[in-house]
């Protein structure tokens, strides 16, 4: 891409990439991508998805699974991920 930034918010990290493409109908077309990651105690990145959170909190996967379903957590929304990690903070720390 033509520009990139990295941010860390608590235990949720995100990378944003902006790319420029040319299209025959428009002079320029920009696209914004975001990818979210969980960051463990050893600063290792884990893609923000259900399998990662279950791997980080294996002893509590059933209750976390229920929370995700009840709160309808969207793993592509930073605010939902922050709520999920706030919920998970009551359990033993992840690795």
């Amino acid at each position: 891409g033509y520009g990139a930034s990295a941010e860390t918010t608590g235990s949720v990290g995100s990378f944003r990439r902006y790319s420029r493409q040319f299209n025959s109908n428009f002079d320029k077309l920009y696209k914004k991508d975001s990818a979210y990651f969980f960051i463990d105690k050893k600063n290792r990145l884990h893609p923000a998805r259900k399998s990662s959170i279950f791997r980080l909190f294996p002893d509590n996967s059933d209750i976390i699974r229920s929370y995700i379903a009840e709160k309808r957590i969207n793993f592509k929304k930073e605010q939902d991920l922050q709520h999920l990690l706030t919920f998970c903070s009551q359990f033993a720390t992840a690795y």
Side-chain angles (χ1 to χ4, degrees):
Y2 280 88
S5 66
E7 300 174 14
T8 303
T9 307
S11 295
V12 176
S14 69
F15 294 92
R16 290 185 178 92
R17 181 184 61 182
Y18 300 90
S19 60
R20 185 171 63 182
Q21 302 171 350
F22 294 96
N23 185 317
S24 61
N25 296 329
F26 302 100
D27 289 339
K28 297 175 186 167
L29 174 66
Y30 289 90
K31 179 181 176 185
K32 177 182 171 184
D33 294 319
S34 295
Y36 295 102
F37 298 86
F38 299 122
I39 304 170
D40 66 19
K41 285 175 49 176
K42 295 180 182 178
N43 288 323
R44 292 179 296 198
L45 298 176
H46 304 270
R49 53 184 177 228
K50 288 180 187 180
S51 60
S52 295
I53 201 76
F54 298 149
R55 201 173 313 117
L56 290 168
F57 297 96
D59 296 338
N60 306 98
S61 60
D62 289 339
I63 193 164
I64 293 170
R65 185 175 281 108
S66 296
Y67 178 85
I68 290 169
E70 178 185 324
K71 300 296 182 181
R72 299 168 62 163
I73 298 296
N74 183 333
F75 282 78
K76 295 182 185 221
K77 292 186 177 179
E78 184 175 358
Q79 187 174 10
D80 283 5
L81 295 173
Q82 289 175 342
H83 290 298
L84 175 61
L85 289 177
T86 299
F87 175 77
C88 291
S89 69
Q90 67 183 308
F91 307 120
T93 56
Y95 294 87

